[in-house]
Amino acid sequence: MKFRAKIADAACLNHFTRVSSMVAKLAKTCTVRISPRQLNFILADKVASGGVSMWCELEQENFFSEFQMEGVSAENNEIYLELTSENLSRALKTAQNARALKIKLTNKHFPCLTVSIELLSVSSSSRVVTHDIPIKVIPRKLWKDLQEPVVPDSDVSIYLPVLKTVKSVVERMKNISNHLIVEANLNGDLNLKIESELVCVTTHFKDLGNPPSASADASHGRDPEQMAEVHVDIRKLLQFLAGQQSTPTKAVCRIVGDKVLHLDVLHEDVSLQYFIPALS
Amino acid sequence: MKCLVTGGNVKVLGRAVHSLSRIGDELYLEPLDDGLSLRTVNSSRSAYACFLFAPLFFQLYQAASPGQDPLRCKILMKSFLSVFRSLAMLEKTVEKCCISLGGRSSLLVIQLHCKYGVRKTHNLSFQDCESLQAVFDPASCPHVLRAPAKLLGEAVLPFPPALAEVTLGIGRGRRVILRSYQEEEADSTVKAMMTEISIGEEDFQQLQAQEGVAITFCLKEFRGLLSFAESANLPLSIHFDAPGRPAIFAIKDSLLDGHFVLATLLEPSPHSPELRQPAPPLQAPSTPHPDDFANDDIDSYMIAMETTVASEGSRTLPSISLSPGLQPPCNCGPNSEEENEAEPSAVPGTPPPKKVGAEVEAGVGRPGRSSLRNSLPPVPVPFAVLRLRPGRGTLPPGPQPRAS
């Protein structure tokens, strides 16, 4: 099992740092899957994490100038690691203005992912920061729990409005209620609603547009005005929104009636899928 | 005592108080002939700090009223800090600050003269005290390291704020290495991230230490002095000796000098089997090396991981053979005079804490060593305790900056 990679471009480095800090906001610990073409940050659907799951995917060649890996075996050419996402994010944050960044799998005092950063210094001398992030290698028999989630057939899928706006709305709603009702229809309407004994607050978004639906979708032949709704834990949604620091290229919200809220976001070349389970 | 601070120096004074407040809960204020000294020591007596502001720092400086002995006092750090809490406010609104002690009232009076004729008066009650004086002498430390505070500030930036201790040492190629210090707990499965920064010798103004020496000290106090030194744009010198001996951090310019004396961790002796060296010596593979990226020993790791896949219950890691460190257990060397008269210490190299405590608290008998140890808050590591002596107002000579 071997892995080493290098980022030499400043823009790629900043982008990778942003991804890692987004992941750190979404999950305390996460699984990193390393395969020849892709790097994934995975949060599996576990009860401990409140049923939330995440699948973040990036093409390695868009970030790394050098990328070598050797998986467990030739037919299972993958590596699965578990790490504290805060550690990775903190390590990468010291890489601002770095000349180059190297990541490799090592076994120093314990198995770790070593992030080695060559910093620019005033003088010509080199300054090197090394972070050894402790990892757990995930055995092969647990890999099956860490596969890309199947996107369920949704009742309604809709483009999300500017995430910053949604965030400021949801932030305020959180003070009143722990539950949020997300409603949307095929006519481009999205409502965020909270209900308490004393008050009911709804924020309406209009003309958001709906992505073209696949033919097998449950939404096929649905009345465009009819709302699909899902109840979610407001903190889980807020966690997702807080992690989105830059405006995504595309952000789609899919409602699978009273099962799950699926958020599908694309940041340049990083795709993030986030699943929030419905509250009964 | 009466002194008057004006203009930007008020903020300098404020910053000094801020960095002292990271160490102790009580502030010892002592007017001396060569300036006003502010000192503190932490509750476990493992860190001591003092600032001495020269008379020229003040618009007006009077150590004592004519014909009187200078007074000294001890005040709560919290109450003194509250006067200087907001540095932005000090800079924007305060025009001058007047500190007086020993007037008609038995209070320490601090007056802030602000813009628009606003005057804020703080009356702080104080206790009489003996002079607080740690026994240290930078000149006796064989190792010296000097660098602009900015460099050292950048060097500690990558470390997490919660990290307690850091190891400073000289690695291969005379590179200065700072590494997070983790206590090794045998049963702990949660490992913390290890961070290390290595800086070339050429970035330092002075580096007088051979490869392989290393000390471990508390990061919080060091950050305190660094933030002061960075704002004053002063170089900081670190004088140190063998592990377990106090390290002295010093800054100096024409108007003030500052000394922080921090206990350093006594490394477990390499031959005691149960105490494994927590980190490999500073020749670790992460020390930059042109081909490091390409030729690390990843294959031994690979074998371990294959085992993991087969039987995940019993994970066997390849045993890492650690060489016992470059640093010989150096508790040798000619002992100083004070040390010879000291009782033999249980831990070799630890200066016996016999002079600590009681005498500082104005001569209430001398406690037995065991009672002192008991009074310490639980210190997880065998930190050396600093020795303090009741002095009469003479500071030890400051570090003499040597030409590099």
Side-chain angles (χ1 to χ4, degrees), chain A residues 1-6 66 68 70-73 81 86-88 90-91 94 102-112 114 116 119 121-142, chain B residues 150-151 154-155 157-161 175 179 191-200 202-203 276 278-280 284-288 290 292-302 304-306 308-309 312 315 317-318 320 322:
Chain A
M1 198 169 343
K2 299 182 186 192
F3 169 60
R4 56 171 68 109
K6 181 175 176 177
E66 235 177 84
Q68 299 167 38
E70 209 170 275
V72 173
S73 63
L81 316 167
E86 179 66 31
N87 281 346
L88 182 66
R90 192 188 293 282
T94 56
K102 293 164 186 169
I103 306 178
K104 64 182 170 178
L105 201 57
T106 58
N107 189 19
K108 285 187 182 174
H109 341 292
F110 37 83
C112 43
T114 296
S116 151
L119 292 178
S121 67
V122 250
S123 64
S124 58
S125 74
S126 71
R127 203 175 287 181
V128 181
V129 183
T130 319
H131 299 277
D132 294 330
I133 304 168
I135 54 163
K136 264 198 299 205
V137 174
I138 298 175
R140 206 177 313 169
K141 65 177 184 188
L142 298 180
Chain B
K150 186 165 178 287
L151 171 81
E154 284 171 2
L157 210 58
F159 295 96
R175 292 179 70 85
R179 173 193 288 159
K191 299 277 185 195
M193 178 163 73
M194 290 285 290
T195 297
E196 178 183 303
I197 180 163
S198 111
I199 302 167
E202 53 277 24
D203 285 2
R276 216 158 54 110
S286 57
T287 313
D292 180 40
F293 188 52
N295 64 8
D296 64 295
D297 182 20
I298 205 163
D299 286 318
S300 67
Y301 185 52
M302 187 165 94
M305 287 311 132
E306 293 300 351
T308 312
V309 173
E312 23 117 27
R315 166 171 300 182
L317 294 178
I320 315 157
L322 295 175

Side-chain angles (χ1 to χ4, degrees), chain B residues 34 36 127 155 188 250 262 300 304 349 378:
Chain B
D34 54 349
L36 178 68
Q127 277 179 287
S188 118
L262 306 183
S300 67

Side-chain angles (χ1 to χ4, degrees), chain A residues 56-274:
Chain A
C56 178
E57 182 174 294
L58 43 98
E59 301 288 321
Q60 58 92 352
E61 58 182 26
N62 292 335
F63 289 85
F64 298 96
S65 59
E66 235 177 84
F67 192 93
Q68 299 167 38
M69 61 100 37
E70 209 170 275
V72 173
S73 63
E75 64 271 22
N76 292 295
N77 196 13
E78 291 169 63
I79 301 172
Y80 286 77
L81 316 167
E82 191 180 275
L83 50 78
T84 306
S85 28
E86 179 66 31
N87 281 346
L88 182 66
S89 146
R90 192 188 293 282
L92 291 171
K93 274 195 188 125
T94 56
Q96 272 166 1
N97 307 321
R99 198 176 294 167
L101 175 134
K102 293 164 186 169
I103 306 178
K104 64 182 170 178
L105 201 57
T106 58
N107 189 19
K108 285 187 182 174
H109 341 292
F110 37 83
C112 43
L113 199 62
T114 296
V115 178
S116 151
I117 299 153
E118 207 183 311
L119 292 178
L120 291 170
S121 67
V122 250
S123 64
S124 58
S125 74
S126 71
R127 203 175 287 181
V128 181
V129 183
T130 319
H131 299 277
D132 294 330
I133 304 168
I135 54 163
K136 264 198 299 205
V137 174
I138 298 175
R140 206 177 313 169
K141 65 177 184 188
L142 298 180
W143 287 11
K144 60 177 187 334
D145 301 332
L146 297 164
Q147 296 311 303
E148 181 167 5
V150 182
V151 178
D153 287 344
S154 56
D155 296 323
V156 166
S157 61
I158 188 165
Y159 289 116
L160 280 169
V162 178
L163 292 179
K164 240 183 210 155
T165 316
V166 181
K167 184 180 159 214
S168 61
V169 168
V170 176
E171 250 169 5
R172 278 154 190 79
M173 287 178 159
K174 195 190 77 163
N175 299 332
I176 306 170
S177 170
N178 293 328
H179 296 183
L180 177 78
I181 303 162
V182 182
E183 288 181 333
N185 65 16
L186 291 172
N187 203 23
D189 300 324
L190 173 75
N191 301 336
L192 301 175
K193 189 157 82 179
I194 49 165
E195 280 165 356
S196 78
E197 282 171 19
L198 298 172
V199 70
C200 169
V201 182
T202 311
T203 303
H204 303 269
F205 295 94
K206 292 194 185 307
D207 307 320
L208 295 173
N210 300 83
S213 63
S215 57
D217 251 9
S219 59
H220 200 66
R222 195 186 161 91
D223 173 10
E225 295 293 329
Q226 195 200 344
M227 288 287 187
E229 67 167 41
V230 62
H231 295 236
V232 292
D233 184 336
I234 201 160
R235 287 165 304 174
K236 299 271 175 356
L237 180 64
L238 203 57
Q239 214 171 16
F240 163 81
L241 294 167
Q244 310 299 312
Q245 279 157 342
S246 54
T247 311
T249 326
K250 183 193 87 169
V252 178
C253 158
R254 294 195 182 89
I255 295 171
V256 184
D258 276 328
K259 280 205 191 78
V260 71
L261 179 69
H262 173 212
L263 299 150
D264 185 355
V265 181
L266 189 73
H267 283 279
E268 291 171 59
D269 33 27
V270 179
S271 101
L272 171 75
Q273 295 188 56
Y274 194 67

Side-chain angles (χ1 to χ4, degrees), chain B residues 324-355:
Chain B
L326 291 174
Q327 176 67 40
C330 183
N331 44 28
C332 44
N335 285 348
S336 65
E337 228 173 276
E338 295 96 338
E339 214 160 16
N340 289 338
E341 63 173 23
E343 298 156 25
S345 166
V347 198
T350 316
K354 64 166 225 176
K355 288 187 174 178

